[in-house]
Amino acid sequence: MDGVASWPPSRIISWEQYERNQALIAANAHMKSRMQPKAARGGKALLAGLIRCRRCGRMLHISYTGTQGVVPRYHCKGAHVNHGEDWCISFGGARVDDAVSREILQAISGNAIEAAVNVAEKLRSQQQERRRMLELELEQARYEAKLATRCYEAVDPDNRLVAAELEARWNAGLQKVQEIEKRISAFDVQDSRPAVPDRELLMSLAQDLPSVWRATSNMRLKQRIVRILIEEIVADVEEKHREVILLIHWAGDRHSQLKVNKKATGQHNRTHSPEAVEVVRRMASNYSDEQIAATMNRMGLRTGANNTWNEQRVYALRRSHHLPASTSTCAQTLTLEQTAERLGVSATCVRHMIERKLIPATQAIECAPWQIPVRALESAEVRNAVSAVKNRLRRNGRKPKEQQDLFNRIERGEA
């Protein structure tokens, strides 16, 4: 009808745009999964909707544990839900997310960006060279077609056999020109890529992104960054070596494998290191908790909560691992300082006698206090060595507190 506008206004989109829209809708439809990676929608798990089970091909589910429900855990329970079978794999998400984060930051580091830009520039130059070769081929085909045209026009029309042959060559030349023009058009459509990005801009972004990544708490933003770089991750668990094996499919058809240690049952983020447990195990029966704590601090070991050691923390570790307390007594062994005090010489003098094998001494581990038997101090060699040091000190009028400096000069041959 006249004067009546059509509603709604019609708009026709291309088939390519329609397919892109359908793919975007499918990626966002989490409740209608077709075992495909899904879009980022926040949460506490970095790889939610992106990690797949290697054994059955299903996307892994996410559950949250901990007192406040903030620790993610990945598990494949599709077979359990659908068929009542056992779970395929299950592992904690904290270590896996941290490992993948390190891989991503390394992938976008300055050296990686530099290499990527160089490769992009090289590919661009190769494409330009291929375009130039097609242009030269087209130029040669056009010349041959023009030459065939002149030969056909110059032939005697009465000579029909020659004219038919030249006409066939002329048609073949024209067809060759058309084929090369189509190849050039197809090449231009395929090579319609954006120009190589600015090198300085990418380098600045590579330097800023690690600090932004660690500072931001927006998990949805991190997930979107991950999906730009990674298409999918296939996960499996190696129970024998307690490792989570991740096969990362990067954008651009690149693949890499990453292995992450899997925690044993009962372990958590504050579990003490095996080195610290082994030190306590070797020293528990012969040293006090205070001595063990001092030794581990000298070795640079920390607790599971990244604290220094003290007597109470060593006691708690012993109790949790059912390790016995010290059974040694002062009447049986002495430390280096106690030995020096009993002999009336400096600790350096005692250490020198240990090095000369005059005093037998042992250490449970490096940096642990020396254990010196009391009966070894009664030997004639030890008494003679101590007497020699004291006589020299007496002749020089030295006080006991100056023994260490004097002994050092004696060793250097200066006294």
Side-chain angles (χ1 to χ4, degrees), residues 28-182:
N28 291 327
H30 286 260
M31 298 302 295
K32 296 181 180 180
S33 174
R34 297 181 180 177
M35 295 188 183
Q36 297 178 351
K38 296 303 176 184
R41 56 177 185 178
K44 298 295 182 180
L46 180 66
L47 308 178
L50 192 65
I51 187 167
R52 183 188 301 277
C53 176
R54 180 180 179 271
R55 302 182 184 182
C56 68
R58 295 181 175 90
M59 303 302 295
L60 299 189
H61 293 77
I62 310 294
S63 62
Y64 295 96
T65 60
T67 56
Q68 299 179 354
V70 295
V71 181
R73 185 171 186 84
Y74 299 100
H75 49 81
C76 179
K77 63 177 184 179
H80 176 75
V81 173
N82 297 330
H83 311 295
E85 300 178 0
D86 295 335
W87 291 13
C88 294
I89 57 176
S90 176
F91 52 88
R95 291 190 178 186
V96 171
D97 288 354
D98 292 341
V100 174
S101 297
R102 289 192 295 269
E103 290 292 314
I104 290 174
L105 294 179
Q106 183 178 0
I108 58 178
S109 62
N111 294 334
I113 293 295
E114 184 78 14
V117 172
N118 292 336
V119 170
E121 292 177 347
K122 186 176 181 180
L123 290 176
R124 178 61 61 186
S125 62
Q126 292 178 353
Q127 293 294 89
Q128 292 176 352
E129 184 65 21
R130 291 178 57 190
R131 182 67 164 75
R132 176 59 180 166
M133 295 298 296
L134 289 174
E135 292 177 352
L136 293 177
E137 187 176 355
L138 178 61
E139 183 178 352
Q140 178 66 24
R142 286 175 176 172
Y143 170 76
E144 294 177 354
K146 291 180 180 179
L147 183 61
T149 302
R150 290 197 298 268
C151 292
Y152 176 76
E153 292 176 347
V155 71
D156 185 3
D158 294 335
N159 193 347
R160 295 185 177 180
L161 292 177
V162 176
E165 177 64 22
L166 293 176
E167 184 179 7
R169 294 181 181 179
W170 181 22
N171 293 331
L174 294 176
Q175 290 178 357
K176 185 176 181 180
V177 170
Q178 293 178 353
E179 291 176 358
I180 297 176
E181 288 177 345
K182 291 180 180 179

Side-chain angles (χ1 to χ4, degrees), residues 208 243 399 412:
D208 295 339
E243 290 180 334
K399 297 179 180 180
R412 294 194 300 267

Side-chain angles (χ1 to χ4, degrees), residues 220-251:
R220 187 172 185 178
L221 175 61
K222 290 184 178 181
Q223 291 173 349
R224 294 177 65 183
I225 294 175
V226 171
R227 280 154 179 76
I228 293 174
L229 300 174
I230 298 178
E231 293 182 354
E232 188 180 65
I233 298 178
V234 180
D236 197 0
V237 175
E238 178 61 44
E239 296 294 347
K240 180 179 180 180
H241 300 93
R242 301 206 64 82
E243 290 180 334
V244 179
I245 303 176
L246 304 175
L247 181 60
I248 304 176
H249 297 273
W250 299 88

Side-chain angles (χ1 to χ4, degrees), residues 330-335 339 342-343 350 353-354 357-362 371-386:
C330 296
Q332 297 175 349
T333 60
L334 299 174
T335 64
T339 302
R342 175 168 293 198
L343 296 178
V350 176
M353 287 189 285
I354 293 174
K357 307 299 182 181
L358 296 177
I359 298 179
T362 58
Q371 289 183 305
I372 302 173
V374 176
R375 62 179 183 275
L377 304 184
E378 303 299 328
S379 65
E381 293 84 357
V382 174
R383 291 199 301 269
N384 293 335
V386 172

